[in-house]
């Protein structure tokens, strides 16, 4: 790996990686050395932390698997309301911040694929024991009990698509005691957040719990685009948020051994679409720099002229849960849920208000899933057993819109005409070289002949040009000198020049005065209806992919956990999974054909509806053992396999005959959990993972395709990593925490075309994860008046863009593009002695650092010259008032 781009930063980052590895190894050695040095039981400071990682309630420090848990206290103290807010507290876990409806889980560097509904995520997400499809994963944390994240294959117990891990969100359940609260939050950018909950006994043995959360915040970049097509439509500030959610649960305690719960969830999202801060000369001009275009993305104004731009989701869910204890050993749980949702995500793809460079996309879905699980449990003195069956039925509909203006179409036609004219010029240059005898002189080498010609024009010795000038160079110069290159065919002067070159005598004034006449004549002459005049300006041209899917999944599993001694247990489990998928494709004809008979799609050829179907099945399992050295120290080792169903790419019709194979994962894991010196809780996990057939999304523009689209490619990976979690109770009420991870990856990828149409050969790449860590500090102060709490967290993430290849040169001038990410967040709160009142002040990104989020947006960069980026919000601050009863 080269460090030549930014030597100072690169070497510093390399040293940090060495430090991270050294710290990991030192902690491991310290942990085991401390264990060996003392056989005395140590106080367990984590006995209140419980998880359901093995489908039963257990102390997190006693579970022989790698699992992290984020409590309701941490959620509140960090002012978190989404998974993207709490991923910093969990090593090896990331939740994308791009969009609400197209977000995805990343575990140990493996993320889910693109927007296609024909594919599944690599890590499963569950809410209240129910599987959540990709577009439904990003839900608000309203009245949440805790969040669990399990790393490594979890298919045995959690099944569907848990190849790399599981995110398990557990809301609070109705209970007998009366309680409730109302909380209001006000903050920067007009943040208004209202949350409430009430729980009471509705009637004897029937308990009711309801909660709601409303979150609204203005954007932080003013969208100044005001196109005619958005008259009467809400113009969102970039980054604006508007999300509401509510939940109602009723629990009936039928008997001492039986209870039933019915829940209704409602989620409503309507907010600004993903931003596109243009970095092209056609983007909004920053009046402060006086330079056309905007190379500085951190501006107060931008232009996103997307028609009816919005990100929205309407989602409802109904869940029924039944628990029954047959006797002191046997019990069962039934979960049945139906969830439906409709989404729209219409976003700007050019970052400008230039009508001739307009392109937007919209991902629209209408889907539902019926999920069921019957689980049987046995809990004896030595043996614990969990087994069951699962069944899910998912119906999906997706429309992937690609919309351009007719002005943009005319620009694309212009580029095509330029290419044709340039070919004519090239033919003339070749003919001239032949007539001059230069090709014979160069023994048939056209590049040498062109070099001799170029030198002769400048009176230079031919040796000065041979090898330095090519035939294409001479053609390019001749074409530039001809004055025939057009920026846009609706420019009367440029169009008149081209018409003259093709033998049509027309002046710029004649072109302007006759409107569409000369364009219609040219269309007839060349038999090309795509040549049309400016009277069609401002219309829209859409080419849409429409997909439907019918997916059915079955599973049956058994898992045994046997306690050989008080200190030693072993577990073994198997699951059989079958997935049946039927999927269809259709590419619609542009509606502009009704306005201009004879035209056809220019981005993708229209395809009538057709379908394909396929089935996959797999046997996965796990085996492992845990040894409790003392009450406060345990080690474990496990081997597990995972599976994610194969599928189809909604934007790639060739996958109908060549569907993607399943992802298959093998994972060997060693771990340690312990409490050192009565105060330092330590969790270490070392893993070796082999992932075959990973489905990765890239922006691809193969030959014959005029626009880059998200496309899935397969690759094989081998991962080796370590994850570290530390929590040190300095004194009573004061704790310090740290989490980090380090990972090495070997990746074998297949050949593919990138976003600008270049063929990237199949290759093997080795790399390291970025240096990242989170430090936390919590202090419960004793000031003699109620409870005062202070929470601080600092997050560091290394920027790895310096190692990316193939980036355009201008990114060097983008401010903060290569900066490491450093976020400092804090909250201080006071609660009355009776816990009825709580007041808090909080701040996020207190350093007010600004970053370019994600990668440079290049979907339109190659064709329209309009790259763009997204950016983060700056410093945020606010106050909270909470009243509990």
């Amino acid at each position: 790996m080269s460090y030549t781009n930014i030597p100072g930063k690169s070497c510093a980052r390399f040293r940090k990686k060495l430090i991270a590895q050294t710290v990991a190894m030192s902690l491991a050695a310290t942990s085991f050395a401390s264990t060996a040095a003392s056989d005395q039981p140590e106080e367990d400071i984590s006995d209140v932390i419980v998880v359901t990682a093995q489908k039963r309630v257990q102390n997190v420090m006693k579970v022989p698997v790698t699992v992290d848990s984020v409590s309701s206290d941490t959620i509140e103290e960090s002012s978190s309301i989404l998974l993207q807010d709490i991923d910093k507290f969990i090593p090896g876990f990331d939740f994308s911040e791009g969009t609400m409806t197209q977000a995805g889980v990343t575990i140990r560097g493996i993320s889910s694929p693109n927007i296609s509904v024909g594919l599944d995520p690599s890590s499963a997400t569950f809410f209240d024991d129910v599987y959540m499809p990709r577009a439904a994963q990003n839900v608000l944390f309203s009245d949440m009990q805790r969040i669990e994240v399990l790393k490594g294959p979890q298919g045995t117990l959690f099944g569907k698509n848990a190849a790399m891990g599981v995110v398990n969100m557990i809301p609070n359940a109705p209970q007998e005691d009366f309680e409730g609260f109302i909380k209001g939050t006000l903050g920067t950018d007009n943040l208004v957040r209202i949350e409430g909950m009430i729980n009471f006994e509705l009637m004897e043995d029937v308990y009711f719990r309801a909660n709601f959360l409303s979150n609204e915040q203005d954007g932080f970049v003013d969208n100044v685009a005001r196109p005619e097509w958005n008259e009467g439509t809400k113009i969102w500030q970039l980054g604006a948020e508007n999300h509401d959610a509510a939940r109602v649960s009723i629990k009936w305690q039928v008997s001492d051994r039986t209870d039933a719960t019915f829940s209704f969830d409602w989620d409503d999202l309507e907010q600004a679409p993903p931003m596109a801060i243009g970095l092209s000369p056609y983007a909004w001009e920053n009046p402060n720099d006086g330079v056309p275009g905007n190379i500085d993305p951190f501006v107060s104004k931008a232009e996103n002229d997307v028609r009816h731009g919005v990100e929205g989701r309407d989602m409802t869910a109904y869940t029924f849960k039944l628990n029954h204890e047959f006797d002191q050993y046997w019990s069962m749980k039934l979960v049945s849920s139906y969830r439906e949702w409709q989404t729209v995500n219409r976003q700007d793809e050019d970052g400008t208000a230039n009508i001739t460079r307009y392109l937007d996309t919209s991902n629209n879905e209408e889907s539902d899933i019926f999920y069921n699980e019957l689980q049987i449990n046995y809990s004896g003195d030595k043996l614990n057993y969990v087994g069951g069956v699962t069944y899910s039925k998912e119906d999906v509909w997706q429309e992937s819109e690609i919309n351009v203006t007719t002005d943009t179409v005319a620009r694309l036609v212009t580029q095509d005409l330029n290419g044709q004219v340039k070919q004519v010029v090239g033919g003339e240059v070749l003919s001239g070289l032949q007539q001059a005898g230069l090709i014979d002189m160069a023994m048939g080498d056209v590049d040498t002949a062109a070099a001799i010609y170029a030198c002769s024009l400048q009176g230079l010795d031919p040796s000065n040009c041979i090898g330095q000038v090519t035939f294409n160079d001479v053609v390019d110069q001749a074409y530039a000198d001809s004055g025939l290159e057009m920026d846009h065919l609706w420019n009367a002067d440029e169009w008149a020049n081209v018409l003259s070159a093709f033998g049509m005598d027309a002046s710029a004034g004649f072109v302007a005065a006759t409107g569409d006449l000369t364009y219609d004549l040219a269309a007839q002459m060349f038999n090309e209806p795509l040549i049309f005049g400016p009277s069609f300006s401002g219309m829209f041209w859409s080419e849409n992919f429409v997909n439907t899917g019918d997916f059915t999944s079955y599973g049956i599993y058994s898992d045994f956990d046997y306690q050989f001694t008080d200190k030693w247990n072993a577990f073994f489990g198997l699951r059989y999974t079958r997935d049946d998928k039927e999927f269809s494709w259709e590419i619609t004809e542009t509606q502009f054909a009704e306005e201009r008979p004879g035209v056809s799609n220019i981005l993708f050829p229209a395809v009538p509806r057709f379908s394909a179907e396929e089935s996959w099945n797999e046997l996965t399992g796990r085996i492992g053992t845990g040894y409790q050295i003392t009450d406060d120290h345990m080690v474990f080792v496990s081997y597990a396999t995972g599976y994610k169903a194969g599928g189809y790419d909604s934007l790639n019709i060739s996958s109908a005959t060549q569907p993607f194979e399943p992802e298959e994962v093998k994972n060997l894991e060693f771990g340690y959990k312990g409490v050192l010196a009565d105060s330092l809780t330590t969790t270490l996990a070392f893993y070796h993972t082999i992932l075959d057939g990973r489905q990765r999304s890239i922006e691809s523009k193969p030959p014959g395709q005029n626009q880059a689209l998200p496309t899935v490619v397969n690759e094989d990976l081998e991962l080796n990593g370590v994850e570290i979690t530390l929590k040190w109770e300095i004194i009573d009420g004061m704790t310090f925490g740290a989490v980090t991870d380090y990972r090495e990856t070997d990746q074998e990828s297949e050949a593919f075309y990138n976003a600008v149409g270049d063929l990237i050969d199949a290759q093997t790449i080795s790399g390291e994860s970025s240096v990242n860590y989170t430090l936390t500090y919590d202090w419960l102060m004793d000031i003699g008046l109620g409870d005062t709490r202070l929470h601080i967290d600092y997050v560091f993430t290394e920027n790895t863009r310096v190692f990316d290849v193939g980036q355009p040169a201008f990114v060097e001038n983008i401010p903060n593009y290569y900066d490491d990410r450093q976020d400092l967040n804090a909250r201080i709160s006071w609660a009355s002695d009776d816990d009825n009142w709580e007041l808090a002040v909080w701040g996020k990104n207190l350093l007010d650092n600004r970053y370019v989020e994600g990668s440079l947006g290049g979907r339109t960069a190659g064709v329209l010259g309009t790259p763009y980026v997204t950016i983060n919000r700056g410093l945020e601050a606010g106050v909270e008032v909470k009243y509990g009863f």
Side-chain angles (χ1 to χ4, degrees):
M1 181 175 291
S2 173
Y3 295 90
T4 57
N5 290 339
I6 303 180
K9 287 189 177 182
S10 301
C11 292
R13 292 189 179 104
F14 182 67
R15 289 193 294 271
K16 291 175 183 175
K17 287 181 177 175
L18 291 178
I19 292 171
Q21 296 177 68
T22 304
V23 169
M25 297 302 104
S26 301
L27 285 170
T30 302
S31 300
F32 285 103
S34 300
T35 299
S38 175
D39 292 327
Q40 299 299 317
E42 296 177 300
E43 181 184 0
D44 190 346
I45 65 171
S46 302
D47 55 2
V48 297
I49 303 176
V50 297
V51 293
T52 52
Q54 301 195 104
K55 294 283 187 174
R56 52 188 176 271
V57 175
Q58 294 175 289
N59 184 337
V60 69
M61 297 302 291
K62 310 292 185 182
V63 180
V65 295
T66 303
V67 55
D68 293 276
S69 180
V70 178
S71 67
S72 59
D73 285 343
T74 300
I75 291 172
E76 182 167 23
E77 292 299 324
S78 60
S79 300
S80 299
I81 61 171
L82 293 165
L83 284 171
Q84 65 198 44
D85 298 326
I86 58 98
D87 58 3
K88 59 189 175 183
F89 301 119
I90 301 172
F93 170 60
D94 181 69
F95 195 83
S96 62
E97 301 183 16
T99 69
M100 287 292 297
T101 58
Q102 295 172 208
V105 172
T106 298
I107 291 183
R108 293 177 172 171
I110 305 302
S111 58
S112 300
N114 65 354
I115 64 173
S116 173
V117 296
L119 294 165
D120 296 300
S122 300
S123 299
T125 300
F126 284 78
F127 178 84
D128 198 21
D129 292 323
V130 176
Y131 175 77
M132 303 281 279
R134 174 191 48 78
Q137 292 175 349
N138 215 354
V139 295
L140 289 171
F141 293 167
S142 180
D143 195 29
M144 196 70 69
Q145 183 185 123
R146 66 183 183 276
I147 312 294
E148 299 171 0
V149 177
L150 293 75
K151 272 74 72 72
Q154 305 295 328
T156 303
L157 292 175
F158 287 89
K160 190 173 175 65
N161 304 323
M164 285 304 299
V166 166
V167 179
N168 192 19
M169 294 179 279
I170 303 168
N172 286 307
Q175 59 182 6
E176 183 177 359
D177 296 335
F178 175 79
E179 63 174 343
F181 71 85
I182 183 75
K183 181 167 72 172
T185 303
L186 299 177
T188 48
D189 296 327
N190 293 319
L191 170 66
V192 178
R193 184 180 302 158
I194 306 296
E195 183 178 3
M197 182 276 293
I198 188 167
N199 183 101
F200 58 88
E201 187 174 20
L202 188 63
M203 61 181 69
E204 185 176 2
D205 296 329
V206 178
Y207 314 120
F208 175 90
R209 192 180 190 96
N211 61 73
F212 72 92
L213 193 154
S214 176
N215 185 74
E216 184 173 357
Q217 189 172 22
D218 290 347
F220 53 96
V221 177
D222 187 17
N223 185 8
V224 297
R226 293 295 184 272
E228 292 182 359
W229 51 73
N230 277 339
E231 289 185 7
T233 300
K234 181 177 177 62
I235 305 296
W236 294 92
Q237 291 181 316
L238 306 190
E241 300 175 357
N242 186 16
H243 196 177
D244 302 317
R247 176 178 172 86
V248 175
S249 295
I250 298 176
K251 180 179 179 180
W252 177 25
Q253 192 68 47
V254 182
S255 68
D256 291 342
R257 293 187 172 184
T258 306
D259 65 77
T261 304
F262 174 79
S263 302
F264 171 74
D265 291 279
W266 170 81
D267 183 283
D268 181 68
L269 173 75
E270 185 178 4
Q271 63 183 28
M275 69 176 65
I277 307 294
L279 298 182
S280 70
Y282 321 106
W284 179 76
E285 181 178 345
N286 186 342
N288 296 321
D289 60 26
V291 178
N294 170 33
I295 199 64
D296 182 1
F298 306 105
V299 293
S300 61
K301 300 180 187 297
E303 289 180 312
N304 282 190
D305 61 352
V306 53
R307 180 178 54 157
H308 310 319
V310 70
E311 182 179 21
R313 181 181 64 194
D314 292 323
M315 182 167 63
T316 55
Y318 308 85
T319 303
F320 175 75
K321 300 173 68 173
L322 177 66
N323 293 286
H324 177 69
E325 295 179 1
F326 297 101
D327 54 35
Q328 62 177 329
Y329 301 111
W330 289 95
S331 63
M332 58 84 68
K333 178 169 68 174
L334 172 67
V335 179
S336 184
S337 177
Y338 176 78
R339 180 178 294 269
E340 61 181 354
W341 61 94
Q342 300 83 40
T343 72
V344 59
N345 190 9
R346 189 181 304 278
Q347 62 187 84
D348 195 297
E349 296 284 2
D350 57 87
T352 78
N354 187 317
I355 193 174
T356 72
R357 301 176 192 275
Y358 180 98
L359 190 144
D360 80 65
T361 61
S362 184
N363 178 53
N364 313 317
E365 295 184 32
E366 292 184 10
S367 303
D368 62 73
I369 183 171
F370 181 44
Y371 178 84
N372 303 269
E373 180 173 4
L374 175 62
Q375 177 183 314
I376 302 296
N377 296 271
Y378 174 83
S379 181
D381 295 335
K382 295 287 188 179
L383 176 67
N384 286 283
Y385 167 79
V386 179
V389 294
T390 59
Y391 167 80
S392 69
K393 179 76 163 56
E394 188 174 358
D395 293 316
V396 301
W397 174 89
Q398 181 178 37
E399 181 181 41
S400 303
E401 299 181 28
I402 303 171
N403 303 300
V404 295
T405 59
T406 47
D407 306 71
T408 300
V409 173
R411 175 171 294 283
L412 298 177
V413 172
T414 302
Q415 294 173 358
D416 186 57
L417 290 175
N418 283 340
Q420 296 180 40
V421 173
K422 190 174 182 179
Q423 286 182 345
V424 173
V425 173
E428 294 177 350
V429 170
L430 181 62
S431 177
L433 295 176
Q434 289 173 333
Q435 292 177 9
L438 295 179
I439 292 183
D440 290 338
M441 183 186 301
M443 303 181 65
D445 187 333
V446 294
D447 284 335
T448 300
I452 295 172
Y453 171 72
C455 274
S456 67
L457 292 179
Q458 301 177 55
L460 300 176
D461 188 282
S463 61
N464 293 326
C465 297
I466 295 175
Q468 304 297 316
V469 178
T470 67
F471 176 76
N472 288 336
D473 293 334
V474 174
V475 172
D476 289 343
Q477 186 61 52
Y479 179 55
D481 293 341
S482 72
L484 296 178
E485 184 174 13
M486 295 184 291
D487 176 65
H488 197 282
L489 61 85
W490 292 347
N491 182 300
D493 291 325
E494 295 174 345
W495 180 239
N497 288 340
V498 171
L499 291 178
S500 298
F502 282 96
M504 297 177 62
D505 188 14
S507 66
F510 179 77
V511 169
T514 56
D516 290 352
L517 177 62
T518 56
Y519 299 94
D520 291 338
L521 291 174
Q524 294 176 16
M525 176 184 299
F526 298 111
N527 193 27
E528 180 51 81
L530 277 173
I531 300 176
F532 52 82
S535 70
F536 292 98
S537 175
M539 296 183 180
F540 278 86
W541 179 297
S542 299
E543 299 179 17
N544 303 334
F545 285 77
V546 179
N547 306 100
T548 62
D550 185 350
F551 309 148
T552 305
S553 180
Y554 313 85
I556 182 169
Y557 63 94
S558 286
D559 191 81
F560 303 86
D561 188 331
Y562 189 77
Q563 195 74 35
F564 291 100
T565 69
D566 291 342
K567 295 184 175 182
W568 176 38
N569 76 300
F571 53 88
F572 168 77
L574 286 174
R575 173 185 285 262
Y576 172 79
T577 304
R578 176 184 172 90
D579 289 280
D580 300 329
K581 292 189 176 183
E582 181 178 344
F583 202 68
S584 75
W585 294 260
E586 178 185 3
I587 303 179
T588 62
E589 187 79 55
T590 176
Q591 80 282 10
F592 187 68
E594 299 175 2
E595 302 289 337
R596 181 76 168 176
V599 302
S600 58
N601 290 7
I602 61 170
L603 302 176
F604 310 97
V607 176
R609 186 181 184 276
F610 72 100
S611 62
E613 57 182 291
E614 186 61 86
S615 296
W616 298 270
N617 60 82
E618 190 68 42
L619 186 66
T620 57
R622 68 171 191 157
I623 186 170
T625 184
Y627 187 75
Q628 199 74 38
I629 302 172
T630 69
D631 287 343
D632 294 322
H633 300 278
M634 77 164 296
V635 292
F636 64 89
V637 59
S638 67
Y639 176 78
T641 60
Y643 155 86
K644 184 183 86 168
Y648 300 100
D649 190 343
S650 60
L651 302 179
N652 184 356
I653 61 177
S654 66
S655 65
T657 55
Q658 296 179 321
F660 293 98
E661 291 300 313
E663 288 185 357
E664 297 182 355
V665 181
K666 303 178 182 69
N667 184 72
L668 178 64
E669 194 137 347
F670 300 89
Y672 163 78
K673 299 180 181 183
V675 182
L676 308 176
D678 295 337
S679 60
L680 180 61
T681 303
T682 307
T683 302
L684 294 172
F686 302 87
Y687 61 88
H688 171 71
T689 303
I690 297 176
L691 171 56
D692 294 329
R694 179 201 179 186
Q695 301 160 5
R696 182 170 70 94
S697 176
I698 53 121
E699 292 286 337
S700 179
K701 182 177 175 292
Q705 183 173 298
N706 292 327
Q707 172 61 41
L709 281 179
T711 304
V712 175
V713 297
N714 285 119
E715 56 192 21
D716 298 329
L717 292 92
E718 184 173 321
L719 314 173
N720 293 284
V722 57
E723 295 165 349
I724 308 169
T725 301
L726 300 173
K727 185 177 180 180
W728 176 29
E729 190 173 24
I730 305 170
I731 59 175
D732 288 343
M734 183 182 295
T735 60
F736 169 81
V739 300
T740 188
D741 72 308
Y742 173 76
R743 179 177 60 258
E744 295 179 345
T745 304
D746 294 325
Q747 171 183 312
E748 295 182 6
S749 63
E750 61 184 18
F752 64 90
Y753 289 92
N754 65 11
V756 295
D758 297 331
L759 178 63
I760 306 301
D761 294 329
Q763 54 188 310
T764 299
I765 303 173
S766 297
E768 302 171 337
S769 62
S770 62
V771 175
N772 69 92
Y773 55 85
T774 298
L775 307 177
T776 60
Y777 176 80
D778 291 273
W779 181 21
L780 177 59
M781 309 177 201
D782 184 6
I783 61 175
L785 181 64
D787 292 331
T788 302
R789 295 174 180 266
L790 173 66
H791 168 85
I792 301 174
D793 62 70
Y794 172 78
V795 185
F796 176 88
T797 304
E798 179 191 17
N799 187 321
T800 58
R801 292 193 183 105
V802 66
F803 305 123
D804 292 346
V805 297
Q807 295 189 98
F810 75 86
V811 301
E812 298 286 344
N813 299 320
I814 301 176
N816 305 359
Y817 191 74
Y818 290 108
D819 285 1
D820 296 326
R821 182 149 193 159
Q822 302 178 69
D823 288 331
L824 179 64
N825 313 290
R827 181 180 185 267
I828 185 168
S829 63
W830 170 85
S832 60
D833 287 327
D834 57 10
D835 284 334
N836 284 345
W837 288 97
E838 181 177 349
L839 305 176
V841 178
W842 56 267
K844 293 184 177 182
N845 190 11
L846 292 174
L847 303 177
D848 197 22
N849 290 332
R850 306 303 304 276
Y851 306 102
V852 173
E853 305 272 28
S855 302
L856 182 71
R859 185 170 296 177
T860 61
V863 178
L864 300 176
T866 51
Y868 65 89
V869 296
T870 62
I871 60 175
N872 71 317
R873 196 185 292 266
L875 184 150
E876 295 182 74
V879 296
E880 294 177 3
V881 179
K882 180 179 180 180
Y883 175 69
F885 50 86

